[in-house]
Amino acid sequence: MKSSAQVVVIGGGVVGASVLYHLTELGWTDVLLVERKELTAGSTWHAAGGMHTLNGDPNVAKLQQYTVGLYREIEQRSGQDCGIHMPGGLMLAGDRERMDWLRMAQARGRYLGMDMEIISAAEAKEMFPLLAEQHFIGALFDPAEGHVDPTGVTRAYAICARQAGAEIYQHTWVSDLRQRPDGTWDVITDSGEIHAEHIVNAGGLWAREVGRMIGLELPVLAMEHMYLITEDMDEVAEYNAATGHELPMGLDFDGENYIRQEGGGMLLGTYEQACVPWSPREAPWTFDQQLLVPDLDRIAPSLEIAFKHYPALADAGIKNVINGPFTFAPDGNPLVGPVPGLRNCWVACAVMAGFSQGGGVGLTLARWMVDGDPGEDIWAMDVARFGSWASLAYTNAKVRENYSRRFRITFPNEELPAGRPLHTTPVYDRLTAHNAVWGAGFGLEHPLWFQRPGEEPREDVTFRRSNAFPVVADECTTVRERVGLTECSNFAKYRVTGPGSAEWLQGLLTNRLPRVGRINLTAALEPGGHIVGEFSVARVGTDDFFLFGSQIAEAHHSRWFLGHLADGVRFQALGLSLVGLSLAGPGARDVLQSVTGVSLATEDYPFMTFRRIDVGMIPAYVGRMTYTGDLGYEIWVAPEYQRALFDLLWQAGQPFGIGLFGFRALMSLRMEKMFGTWFREYRPIYTPAEARMDRSLKLDHDFIGRAAVEAELTRGPARTLGYFDITPDPAEPADVVGDEPIWHDGTVVGWVTSGAYAHYSRRSLAFGYVPSELAVPGTMFEVEIIGQRRPARLLAEPVLDPAGQRMRA
Ligand SMILES: Cc1cc2nc3c(=O)[nH]c(=O)nc-3n(C[C@H](O)[C@H](O)[C@H](O)COP(=O)(O)OP(=O)(O)OC[C@H]3O[C@@H](n4cnc5c(N)ncnc54)[C@H](O)[C@@H]3O)c2cc1C
């Protein structure tokens, strides 16, 4: 065994093998993989091998497309049969909501170049004669679905990697990991030690235990999963004889099952409600290419539906029942990337769909390691999307919820209840008493809207407009005409201090730094000029700054800043040690002025001021800005003052008609002011020129990515962020939720990033990227909302207060 290597990949399942292969593809050949038993010994060997390209996140869908497309290539290069079958797949809808969902999925697929077709139940029956047509109202057919041989695929990756110089040691168990002061690793195995520059945890069923070797508690949990294989069926043989090909795969959302042909019979898997975690606290190292005891009672309710929906199955003999464990993160997406806070330590785990996602996971992780950047927008898979709140018990609750909802619709306005409320701010009870409807982001509860007194604080989930619609409209009116109060703790807050802080930040941020006492908007870029983050920077001293950014990206952005840290500079994520309330609306100044001795007149406290002042008796940092685009203030305090601050402002606001508003109103208000947001308009796949971040960009200083920005500005961006005024269907109005295709002259030319109904302006608005030559104000487009193409006019400026007079008043 080698005693040193540039990379040691721990785990020889399909994911570890893919990482190894992709590292060699990118030119890193001093790489090796250690596997405690034999390749595929974890969850890989007993997988059903199904694969598909559809995913709720278009960026993950793209990586799934890549994965599915890779198999022929590795099969050919390795000479290893991957058992590729591509019969296509049917997603079956039993009701209108699911049909809407399928239409939206088809629409999302359009701009990814996916060629999927909506068909009737009768057409579905023709393609898949085993189904009982009366239970369905239609289906989506995806020709790019299929299945592979899990062992063949893993071996093919391994053979290609070996051909390029990688080594693989089987029957080699990693028992410990120790980091040296220089950031390299000693990998302790039962066959000796390996000194590695980088380690990759691809430990699959044991990824959590491998993490614990270095003090990490990764949010990953294995669940038991069952599928059965029938004896050969006459119906299958007849279909094969008549058509000359195998049956397409089927996904029955109502029955919570998937089905495909296996030999001369059928394979049926279920995601049952009575789901069971495997080894919830610790996975045994003795588990080795084993299966679990099947429990048909547990899946009996799903089988009952399956036998109704596919009657021929009821009469087929069951040849085999497989019960095996495989892993999930709390949201069902993989955990990939550099572990925050640890040098040269990478993960590629919690991959629940290894045969749809394994290739994309390997590709992006290898790029991240070799090039310093994943090369794609992989936010949905980034290990940094979870924080310390994702504890063992939280993960358990969320993974079970996720598993049991695998085939359920999650509506765009739906907030899933498991593991909540967990992380709350001090005003949580105050806001609950005001009938708040809560949502959660990065684990933290934040108010979405405030139900009317006496009515249940609950939102009807829907793709269209919900019961929140009129209430949020009133909240918007309160802000625009009087004064609104909301909680703004759900921003990420960072403090940067120490000698050299200004110089350090200036080299990272696209805007010039504000003067002391001022705030400005800025972005951070990677060297290729793509957006890494978008922040407000407030300066309280020469070398003393607050940064405000997206809360969900707190760990992600911290990792980036800390990765660039200069000597002497202290970068600190403040978490909930700083919490906030925000006042917005024409009466905001009057309310705040009534509780502070500091003059808030515009000449003394102009727009974009940030100062430490007392509010009542409470020491606070007060920034004159709000995301509503109105006159407003964000008031930041230590958590122990937040309740007193709330009571003070609420009381002081009464004469001015103060009302509470939540996140939904904020999204509506920011849309009519044409304010973009991180994770939707601003993501690592876009550049500041494309995103029109002009006011955050000053080319008077050097910063990471500047050369790329200048080059792009010279040639002009290929696509541009547009702002659209949409005419919804008057009979059944619905607004965009994001990821809808944008049509022009009969072809899909772009996609929506986000949008909302702007209640105060009474417009349905959206942001979306289109080719720059089409981004001409007044141009007509169509946005496809739930299967309907609705007219959309590209606007030049915000629909409300384009000159920005309200916020400067
Ligand atoms: C019943 C069932 C059906 C499934 N069907 C499908 C399907 O149809 N389609 C699909 O895409 N996915 C399916 N899956 C999921 C699929 O199996 C997983 O996504 C995939 O196997 C994950 O691969 P992995 O490499 O991450 O993990 P694993 O396969 O668990 O591999 C991890 C490897 O790491 C090794 N290891 C761990 N710790 C150490 C250590 N300390 N030292 C050395 N080696 C170590 C283990 O021995 C193991 O071989 C199914 C799973 C089950 C259980």
Side-chain angles (χ1 to χ4, degrees), residues 11 13-15 35-36 42-44 46 48-50 174 204-205 324 326 351 353-355:
V14 66
V15 174
E35 164 55 49
R36 53 190 272 275
S43 56
T44 296
H46 52 58
V174 174
L205 290 178
F326 69 131
V351 184
F355 299 93

Side-chain angles (χ1 to χ4, degrees), residues 10-16 34-51 172-175 202-207 210 213 223 225-227 258 285 322-327 348-356:
I10 302 161
V14 66
V15 174
V34 281
E35 164 55 49
R36 53 190 272 275
K37 300 291 180 188
E38 283 167 16
L39 293 181
T40 78
S43 56
T44 296
W45 72 279
H46 52 58
M51 56 182 182
T172 305
W173 175 52
V174 174
S175 58
L205 290 178
W206 296 267
V210 172
M213 292 176 189
M223 298 294 291
H225 181 66
M226 276 179 267
Y227 64 80
Y258 57 88
W285 292 110
I322 303 290
N323 183 11
F326 69 131
T327 53
C349 64
V351 184
M352 62 81 52
F355 299 93
S356 301

